[in-house]
Amino acid sequence: MTRNKDSKPKHKRSFFRVPEELKLEVAKACHLEKKGSSQIAKEYGIGKTTVERILRNFAASNDKSALLMKNRHTDSQAEEIKALREEILELKKKLYHETMRADFYDTMVDVAEEMFNIEIRKKAGTGQSKGCTKTM
């Protein structure tokens, strides 16, 4: 804000006209890349309110394009959800097999202890046996 002696204060405002290409890039970044307005503002060096205005105006003036971008976004989410569900099923199968393996191991140790009348599992709190010594 500058002031002359006998005049009112003058406010300098600079206006930045956003090019159409940048508006389209901002809309794509928001709808396709799932970025927020703050992140887009930092990335492109423009204000957050400018980004929000661009998105609002883009949605109002390009109904079909905005709708297509949103649909692509939901399509990619559906594919991602499907892939995650498949991964969950695979992990459940692996967990089942590992649980079965652990149960089998416990049963095998129980049978061996009973059959050979020896303790295979170490009891809690027991120390090293007397016959074993560390040599280095």
Side-chain angles (χ1 to χ4, degrees):
M1 181 164 89
T2 60
R3 227 178 232 245
N4 293 338
K5 288 183 181 180
D6 296 328
S7 67
K8 294 181 181 178
K10 293 183 180 180
H11 294 280
K12 282 192 167 187
R13 288 188 123 176
S14 61
F15 291 98
F16 171 69
R17 183 156 309 274
V18 181
E20 292 300 316
E21 299 85 27
L22 183 60
K23 290 179 183 179
L24 188 59
E25 284 183 40
V26 166
K28 283 182 181 178
C30 179
H31 292 295
L32 298 178
E33 299 172 18
K34 306 174 194 174
K35 293 181 180 176
S37 56
S38 297
Q39 186 179 4
I40 294 170
K42 285 180 185 176
E43 197 172 298
Y44 290 98
I46 55 179
K48 182 181 173 187
T49 54
T50 304
V51 171
E52 291 168 351
R53 189 181 71 244
I54 289 170
L55 294 173
R56 195 172 42 249
N57 291 342
F58 182 80
S61 63
N62 300 314
D63 290 334
K64 291 181 181 178
S65 298
L67 186 62
L68 284 173
M69 285 183 180
K70 285 183 181 179
N71 287 342
R72 285 184 192 157
H73 178 71
T74 56
D75 289 345
S76 65
Q77 280 183 336
E79 290 172 7
E80 186 177 346
I81 289 171
K82 183 180 176 184
L84 289 172
R85 285 184 177 157
E86 289 173 0
E87 184 179 359
I88 288 171
L89 285 175
E90 184 180 327
L91 290 172
K92 282 183 178 180
K93 286 179 185 177
K94 286 182 180 180
L95 176 64
Y96 174 77
H97 287 292
E98 286 301 314
T99 305
M100 292 292 291
R101 185 174 165 270
D103 289 343
F104 174 74
Y105 176 78
D106 284 339
T107 305
M108 183 179 69
V109 170
D110 290 340
V111 169
E113 284 181 341
E114 188 177 309
M115 194 174 199
F116 297 112
N117 199 21
I118 58 171
E119 289 186 26
I120 297 174
R121 288 191 189 95
K122 198 160 195 159
K123 304 287 185 213
T126 56
Q128 194 173 12
S129 61
K130 292 180 183 177
C132 286
T133 57
K134 288 185 180 179
T135 56
M136 287 195 191

